[in-house]
C-alpha cells in the first residue's frame, strides 16, 4: 500500500518541508495542509507548501496518509480532536522528536494504523518560512513500529520517507528515545550551557569565532519547543547527561596530566567523528 | 609605520591564508613564505599563497614584518633559531591561540618590536590546501601589546589585520587567555566529550542529525594541535570548565523540575546567542 492523498496537520518547518518535498517528488499528488496559526497558513499557501485549508476536517477529508507535524506536548490533545474526522482507512504518523511517551497515546487513539516517525533533519530556524523541499535529502528518518502496527502502516511511512529523499531507520520507541538523548537532547543542553557560560564573561563575545558559533548553533532554537521535547524524555536525557559529564571529567583529568595524555584521550572521539562525517558525506 | 615586505614562517591554514589574503589585498607586496614540511611548501607554492623559499634565512631577508604561524609549542624553539636571521628593524608577530605563556618568551627573544596576535578564524581543516584569502574577512583578530611593545609594532600588526579584512580587538595576554578558554577551548573539549559519549552507544550514529554535526564540528580538528593549545592554557581552561559544568548542572536541575522551569532557564542563553548572531551577521 502507498499513499494517494496526504493531509499534513501543522505547517511549521517539518510539516511545511514534508509538503514541499512531496509536491516536488509527486507533482500530481493531492497534499492538503492545515495550521491553527492563520499567519502560518498564509505563508504556507503563498510558498505553495501544500493546498492550505482553513479547518482540520476539510484537510483530513479523503486522505489516506495523515501526518501530525506539531509539538510533542500537543500531540495527545490534537489526536483526540481528530479521531472522528480522520478517514478510517488512513495511515497516521507523527514527526515528534520523542517516541516512548507518544506512541502508546497515539496507538490508543488510532490503533494499529498509527506508526511513529521522526525525521532527523531540521535547522535552528522554525516555521513555514524556513521550510524547504530538500530538508530531508540524504538524512535518516526514524520509524518506530510496535508489535501492534500493521505492515501496511509501516510500508506507507517508508514510502513517504523515500519520497522525500531520506533513509528509513527502524528502531523501537524506547531505543529511539535512548539514542536521541545522546545525538540531539544532550548536544542541545550542552550548547545552551556553552552560551550561558560565555554570556556571563564580559568581553568574551568579542573573541568568539567559528568554533563557538557552530558549537552553540542549536542553542538558537526555540526554548519552549526544546523544553517540551527534553521534558518528555527526561530520564533518558539525565542518563545521557551523566555519560557526557563522565567523558568531560575524563578529559579534564587528562588535561591536568599534560599534552600527551590529553591528545591520546581525544583521539578516539576525533576518529569516531571523522568516520561518521565520511559516512554521511559531511564536508 | 606599515609593512613593505612580509615573511611568513609556517604555511598551514593560518599562515597560508594570511599570505593569500595579503597577495589579494596588495598584489605588488613581496610576501615570502617558508614551511619546514617540503610537501606544505609544494602545495603553498602551487596555490600561490606566497613566494615560497627553501630556508628560513632566505625567507626572512629584507622583511619588515615577520609572522610566525606555527603551533604554540614550537614558537619558543623557532624564535630562538630565528633571532640572528631576523632583520633588526622588522616587527615580529605570531598567530598562536594562547598568549600569556607565549608573549614573555617572544619578548625575551625579539624585545619591544614583538607584538602578539591571534586571528579568531579557522576551520576544522588544516594545512596549506585549506588556506583561503577570505578566511579572515569579517572576523575579529586579537592584538595583545604589553607596556613594552612599541606603538610602531602595534600599528604594523593593525595594518596587517585591516589588510586581510579583519577587525582588531585589543586585549592583554592574560585576559585573552581567560576569554578564549570560554569561547574556544571549553567548546572544543565539550565537542570532544559529545563525540566520545555518542561513540560509546551502539546505533547512535544512525540517529545523528545537523545539531550533532554542528555541535561536534570542532572535534574534527587535530588532537595534537588542540592538546598543545589547551595544555598551554590549562589553568584558565579548568576554571572555564567549572563554570560550564555549573551551567549544565543548573540546566539538569531545571529539567528535573519540568518544562516551564527548563524553558525559563534556557531563555537568557538563547537570547545572548541570538544577539551575538545578529551582531556578527551569522545566518
Amino acid at each position: 500500500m502507498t499513499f494517494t492523498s496526504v493531509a499534513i496537520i501543522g505547517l511549521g518547518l517539518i510539516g511545511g518541508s514534508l509538503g514541499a518535498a512531496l509536491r516536488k517528488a509527486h507533482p500530481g499528488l493531492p497534499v492538503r495542509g492545515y495550521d491553527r496559526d492563520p499567519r502560518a497558513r498564509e505563508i504556507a499557501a503563498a510558498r505553495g507548501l501544500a493546498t492550505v485549508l482553513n479547518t482540520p476536517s476539510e484537510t483530513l477529508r479523503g486522505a489516506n496518509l495523515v501526518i501530525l507535524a506539531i509539538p510533542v506536548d500537543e500531540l495527545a490533545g490534537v489526536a483526540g480532536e481528530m479521531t472522528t474526522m480522520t478517514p478510517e482507512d488512513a495511515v497516521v504518523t507523527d514527526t515528534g522528536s520523542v517516541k516512548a511517551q507518544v506512541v502508546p497515546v497515539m496507538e490508543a487513539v488510532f490503533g494499529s494504523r498509527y506508526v511513529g516517525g521522526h525525521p532527523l533533519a531540521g535547522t535552528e530556524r522554525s516555521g513555514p518560512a524556513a521550510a524547504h523541499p530538500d530538508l530531508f535529502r540524504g538524512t535518516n528518518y526514524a520509524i518506530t513500529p510496535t508489535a501492534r502496527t500493521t505492515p501496511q502502516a509501516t510500508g506507507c511511512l517508508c514510502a513517504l520517507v523515500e519520497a522525500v529523499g531520506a533513509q528509513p531507520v527502524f528502531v523501537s520507541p524506547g531505543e529511539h528515545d535512548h539514542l536521541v538523548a545522546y545525538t540531539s537532547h544532550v548536544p542541545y543542553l550542552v550548547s545552551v550551557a556553552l552560551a550561558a557560560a560565555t554570556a556571563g564573561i564580559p568581553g568574551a563575545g568579542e573573541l568568539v569565532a567559528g568554533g563557538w558559533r557552530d558549537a552553540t548553533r542549536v542553542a538558537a532554537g526555540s526554548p519552549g519547543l526544546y523544553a517540551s521535547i527534553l521534558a518528555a524524555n527526561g530520564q533518558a536525557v539525565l542518563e545521557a547527561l551523566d555519560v557526557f559529564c563522565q567523558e568531560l571529567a575524563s578529559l579534564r583529568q587528562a588535561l591536568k596530566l599534560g599534552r600527551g595524555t590529553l591528545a591520546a584521550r581525544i583521539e578516539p572521539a576525533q576518529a569516531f567523528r571523522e568516520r561518521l562525517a565520511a559516512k554521511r558525506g559531511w564536508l
Side-chain angles (χ1 to χ4, degrees), chain A residues 227-250:
Chain A
S228 297
I229 293 167
L230 270 70
N233 198 24
Q235 196 49 46
V237 174
L238 291 174
E239 285 171 25
L241 210 45
D242 289 344
V243 171
F244 167 81
C245 286
Q246 284 159 20
E247 293 291 348
L248 195 61
S250 155

Side-chain angles (χ1 to χ4, degrees), chain A residues 69-124:
Chain A
I70 60 177
V72 283
D73 53 356
E74 296 171 20
L75 276 170
V78 170
E81 289 167 30
M82 281 172 44
T83 320
T84 56
M85 311 173 196
T86 305
E88 283 190 13
D89 61 342
V91 167
V92 179
T93 188
D94 75 302
T95 61
S97 308
V98 291
K99 286 284 159 286
Q101 282 189 16
V102 162
V103 170
V105 172
M106 298 294 279
E107 283 189 336
V109 176
F110 296 109
S112 61
R113 64 199 174 116
Y114 164 78
V115 56
H118 176 204
L120 294 153
T123 74
E124 67 279 17

Side-chain angles (χ1 to χ4, degrees), chain A residues 1-7 26 28-32 62-65 89 156:
Chain A
M1 180 221 164
T2 186
F3 48 85
T4 53
S5 178
V6 180
H26 299 296
L29 178 75
V31 179
R32 298 199 181 94
N64 63 357
L65 172 60
D89 61 342
C156 184

Side-chain angles (χ1 to χ4, degrees), chain A residues 10 20 39 44 82 93 95 113 116 124 130 143-144 153 171 185 191 195 212 223 232 238 264:
Chain A
R39 181 79 189 120
M82 281 172 44
T93 188
T95 61
R113 64 199 174 116
E124 67 279 17
I143 300 182
T144 62
V171 63
H185 303 170
S191 169
W212 191 93
L238 291 174

Side-chain angles (χ1 to χ4, degrees), chain A residues 2-280:
Chain A
T2 186
F3 48 85
T4 53
S5 178
V6 180
I8 303 173
I9 304 298
L11 296 170
L13 173 69
I14 297 296
S17 295
L18 285 171
L22 283 171
R23 285 196 145 181
K24 189 176 173 184
H26 299 296
L29 178 75
V31 179
R32 298 199 181 94
Y34 170 79
D35 197 290
R36 66 175 180 191
D37 173 9
R39 181 79 189 120
R41 291 204 297 273
E42 257 175 53
I43 296 169
R47 298 196 62 209
L49 306 176
T51 302
V52 179
L53 297 169
N54 286 321
T55 63
S57 63
E58 288 171 276
T59 309
L60 294 166
R61 197 170 298 149
N64 63 357
L65 172 60
V66 174
I67 304 167
L68 291 176
I70 60 177
V72 283
D73 53 356
E74 296 171 20
L75 276 170
V78 170
E81 289 167 30
M82 281 172 44
T83 320
T84 56
M85 311 173 196
T86 305
E88 283 190 13
D89 61 342
V91 167
V92 179
T93 188
D94 75 302
T95 61
S97 308
V98 291
K99 286 284 159 286
Q101 282 189 16
V102 162
V103 170
V105 172
M106 298 294 279
E107 283 189 336
V109 176
F110 296 109
S112 61
R113 64 199 174 116
Y114 164 78
V115 56
H118 176 204
L120 294 153
T123 74
E124 67 279 17
R125 296 179 300 145
S126 57
H132 195 282
D134 296 328
L135 185 68
F136 310 103
R137 196 150 295 283
T139 66
N140 286 349
Y141 197 121
I143 300 182
T144 62
T146 66
R148 194 171 166 186
T149 316
T150 65
Q152 287 74 17
T154 304
C156 184
L157 182 53
C158 260
L160 169 72
V161 167
E162 280 159 21
V164 302
Q167 298 289 326
V169 175
F170 293 91
V171 63
S172 74
E175 181 68 2
H176 169 275
D177 287 8
H178 166 64
L179 296 177
V180 293
Y182 288 88
T183 62
S184 173
H185 303 170
V186 165
Y188 171 73
L189 279 181
V190 156
S191 169
V192 171
L194 281 175
T198 309
I201 308 298
E206 294 301 303
L207 295 200
V208 304
W212 191 93
R213 179 194 62 212
D214 292 342
T216 61
R217 197 187 304 274
V218 284
S222 158
L225 215 61
Y226 271 103
S228 297
I229 293 167
L230 270 70
N233 198 24
Q235 196 49 46
V237 174
L238 291 174
E239 285 171 25
L241 210 45
D242 289 344
V243 171
F244 167 81
C245 286
Q246 284 159 20
E247 293 291 348
L248 195 61
S250 155
L251 287 164
R252 186 184 207 282
Q253 190 54 32
L255 171 61
K256 287 167 97 170
L257 296 172
R259 188 203 167 283
T261 311
L262 181 59
R265 184 64 195 70
I266 290 168
E267 270 157 22
Q270 194 248 4
F272 174 78
R273 211 273 176 194
E274 289 283 274
R275 283 197 304 276
L276 209 48
K279 191 175 170 190
R280 292 299 184 86

